[in-house]
């Protein structure tokens, strides 16, 4: 409806500018009010039909043939449909005028033909003006949406980078933790004295863990298969550090290994379990990593909380995992606590980010 007044004014303005000395304009001021009112109403209806037809065609083509796909074809198709619509509306208008005024159908005069052609040209100009306005509005709106998406994408990337940095800082904390390094090196020196082959394997696993932490902690996602390879070396170090005070049970379906999760997810969850629970050989801490479905991975540990510890104290490990899944538009992990177990259900992602 916004275009109707614009089209109405434009119709008379362009008609006058095309031929200001036409007989129609010379006699215009001499016509009675009711005659003018009838003409204005007819013209208003005509402009309404032309405007609505143009808007309807534009909206339909936006869905079936967007400007961004094939602009030249879109221009030709929209112009053609609008021309056909205008011709059909003019035809209906002529039929209506003939029926109302009961004019005879004798051969039209040259003046009538001239007026009809002028009418067609003016109508086409109005139609094309509306096309131009609609197209401009569509392109500006599309550009704004694109800019909004780019801005949201940049913001999301910044948030992901921040979360990734937090995970990296967490892993660096582990790397630079003198306690962890001292224990690992002490075990390594003992193993070298007792069993050189085992000592060599320990040093290899030790280097793999730190290489993984340095390289992959900066990524947004990695495959579960890569995470499990890292976890194998990490568990090897943990077992030789803690001994029989901890047991691991890894049972992951092969099809799940091709799915993705944020790096260090499993390491942080295992570290969290060790941090909050005692590791006694008489009552060892049991940690299970298994899949329930292809996209559902569960990290479960038995509960033997250290005195003065509670499950509300997660450090930065679990909250970091939660925020990274959220930022990656994945389903956030679920926590299930029973009197004897603590489970974290991780929903794996089927694409790399």
């Amino acid at each position: 409806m916004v275009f109707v007044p614009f089209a109405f004014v434009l119709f008379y303005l362009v008609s006058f500018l095309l031929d200001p000395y036409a007989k129609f304009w010379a006699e215009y001021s001499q016509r009675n009010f009711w005659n003018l009112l009838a003409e204005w109403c007819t013209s208003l209806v005509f402009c309404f039909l032309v405007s609505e037809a143009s808007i309807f065609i534009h909206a339909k083509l936006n869905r079936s043939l967007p400007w961004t796909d094939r602009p030249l074809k879109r221009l030709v198709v929209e112009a053609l449909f609008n021309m056909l619509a205008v011709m059909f509306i003019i035809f209906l208008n002529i039929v209506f005028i003939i029926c109302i005024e009961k004019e005879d159908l004798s051969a039209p005069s040259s003046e009538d033909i001239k007026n009809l052609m002028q009418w067609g040209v003016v109508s086409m100009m109005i139609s094309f003006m509306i096309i131009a306005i609609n197209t401009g509005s569509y392109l500006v709106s599309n550009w704004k949406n694109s800019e909004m998406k780019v801005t949201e994408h940049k913001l999301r990337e910044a948030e992901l980078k921040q979360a990734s940095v937090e995970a990296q800082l967490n892993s660096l904390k582990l790397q630079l933790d003198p306690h962890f390094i001292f224990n690992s090196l002490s075990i390594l020196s003992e193993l070298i004295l007792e069993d050189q082959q085992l000592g060599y394997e320990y040093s290899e696993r030790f280097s793999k863990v730190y290489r993984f932490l340095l390289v992959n902690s900066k990524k947004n996602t990695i495959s579960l298969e890569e995470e499990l390879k890292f976890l194998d070396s990490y568990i090897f170090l943990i077992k030789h550090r803690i001994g029989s005070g901890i047991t691991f049970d890894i049972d992951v379906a092969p099809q799940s290994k091709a799915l993705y999760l944020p790096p260090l997810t499993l390491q942080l969850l295992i570290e969290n379990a060790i941090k909050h629970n005692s590791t006694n050989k008489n009552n060892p801490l049991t940690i299970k990593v298994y899949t329930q479905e292809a996209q559902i991975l569960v990290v479960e540990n038995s509960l033997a909380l250290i005195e003065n510890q509670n499950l509300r104290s997660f450090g930065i490990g679990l909250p970091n995992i939660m925020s990274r899944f959220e930022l990656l538009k994945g389903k956030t992990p679920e926590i299930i606590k029973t009197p004897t177990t603590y489970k974290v259900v991780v929903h794996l992602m089927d694409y790399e980010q």
Side-chain angles (χ1 to χ4, degrees):
M1 291 293 290
V2 178
F3 290 108
V4 176
F6 168 78
F8 182 79
V9 172
L10 196 64
F11 179 81
Y12 281 97
L13 180 62
V14 175
S15 298
F16 177 80
L17 292 175
L18 282 175
D19 191 4
Y21 302 106
K23 182 182 177 182
F24 176 83
W25 296 112
E27 298 174 353
Y28 201 79
S29 59
Q30 299 171 9
R31 296 165 62 185
N32 64 63
F33 172 76
W34 295 110
N35 188 273
L36 287 173
L37 184 62
E39 183 202 309
W40 292 339
C41 290
T42 305
S43 298
L44 199 62
V45 171
F46 173 77
C47 291
F48 171 80
L49 292 174
V50 170
S51 301
E52 290 303 306
S54 183
I55 293 168
F56 177 80
I57 292 167
H58 182 81
K60 286 290 183 181
L61 290 177
N62 278 346
R63 289 191 289 271
S64 59
L65 186 62
W67 280 101
T68 50
D69 289 351
R70 300 178 69 182
L72 184 59
K73 184 178 179 181
R74 168 61 187 268
L75 178 63
V76 172
V77 170
E78 186 160 355
L80 181 62
F81 274 115
N82 273 275
M83 288 173 65
L84 292 172
V86 168
M87 290 170 64
F88 180 71
I89 292 168
I90 289 174
F91 172 76
L92 291 179
N93 208 349
I94 292 171
V95 170
F96 175 77
I97 291 170
I98 290 172
C99 292
I100 294 298
E101 297 186 359
K102 296 184 171 53
E103 294 182 3
D104 59 61
L105 298 176
S106 59
S109 65
S110 58
E111 185 69 17
D112 290 335
I113 295 173
K114 179 184 173 183
N115 289 337
L116 184 60
M117 290 178 64
Q118 183 175 306
W119 190 7
V121 170
V122 172
S123 302
M124 292 298 178
M125 288 180 68
I126 292 171
S127 180
F128 287 138
M129 288 279 288
I130 294 171
I131 290 174
I133 294 169
N134 278 330
T135 302
S137 175
Y138 171 83
L139 293 176
V140 168
S141 176
N142 197 51
W143 173 76
K144 284 183 179 179
N145 290 336
S146 299
E147 285 297 308
M148 285 293 291
K149 286 179 182 178
V150 169
T151 304
E152 288 173 0
H153 179 73
K154 286 181 179 178
L155 181 61
R156 184 180 163 201
E157 282 294 319
E159 291 174 334
L160 281 171
K161 187 176 180 181
Q162 183 180 353
S164 183
V165 168
E166 288 178 7
Q168 188 179 357
L169 287 173
N170 194 39
S171 66
L172 287 172
K173 180 183 174 184
L174 174 64
Q175 294 174 44
L176 299 176
D177 184 358
H179 224 46
F180 184 86
I181 295 173
F182 177 77
N183 287 337
S184 298
L185 292 177
S186 296
I187 293 166
L188 178 59
S189 61
E190 290 174 11
L191 289 174
I192 289 172
L193 291 172
E194 295 173 6
D195 187 337
Q196 289 188 353
Q197 183 60 37
L198 185 58
Y200 173 77
E201 185 179 353
Y202 188 92
S203 66
E204 282 292 304
R205 299 294 186 103
F206 188 78
S207 65
K208 283 180 180 178
V209 166
Y210 278 88
R211 192 181 304 118
F212 181 92
L213 291 171
L214 287 169
V215 174
N216 292 293
S217 62
K218 298 177 183 178
K219 296 180 179 178
N220 290 332
T221 56
I222 60 168
S223 68
L224 178 58
E225 186 173 11
E226 289 180 272
E227 181 88 351
L228 288 172
K229 286 178 182 177
F230 156 73
L231 196 63
D232 183 57
S233 296
Y234 182 71
I235 288 173
F236 183 88
L237 300 183
I238 294 296
K239 280 184 175 179
H240 281 84
R241 179 162 65 90
I242 299 176
S244 58
I246 189 168
T247 60
F248 291 92
D249 183 9
I250 312 294
D251 184 18
V252 177
Q255 62 268 30
S256 300
K257 293 180 180 180
L259 302 176
Y260 294 86
L261 74 170
L264 307 177
T265 297
L266 299 183
Q267 182 260 329
L268 290 172
L269 291 174
I270 289 173
E271 183 189 355
N272 195 67
I274 294 171
K275 177 182 176 183
H276 293 284
N277 294 276
S278 61
T279 51
N280 191 312
K281 64 180 180 180
N282 296 322
N283 183 27
L285 174 65
T286 302
I287 298 177
K288 299 178 182 179
V289 180
Y290 57 93
T291 47
Q292 288 182 333
E293 298 175 18
Q295 287 191 298
I296 296 179
L297 180 73
V298 180
V299 180
E300 175 185 334
N301 63 270
S302 56
L303 280 180
L305 293 175
I306 299 172
E307 194 175 346
N308 298 325
Q309 289 272 16
N310 61 71
L311 290 180
R312 294 180 184 177
S313 171
F314 294 123
I316 64 172
L318 195 54
N320 179 275
I321 293 169
M322 295 285 192
S323 64
R324 295 185 82 189
F325 269 93
E326 199 171 309
L327 290 168
L328 290 164
K329 305 300 181 185
K331 191 173 181 181
T332 53
E334 300 167 20
I335 298 171
I336 302 172
K337 180 191 170 187
T338 68
T340 56
T341 61
Y342 184 81
K343 297 180 185 178
V344 179
V345 180
V346 177
H347 297 268
L348 301 171
M349 294 174 280
D350 56 3
Y351 59 93
E352 185 175 8
Q353 296 198 37

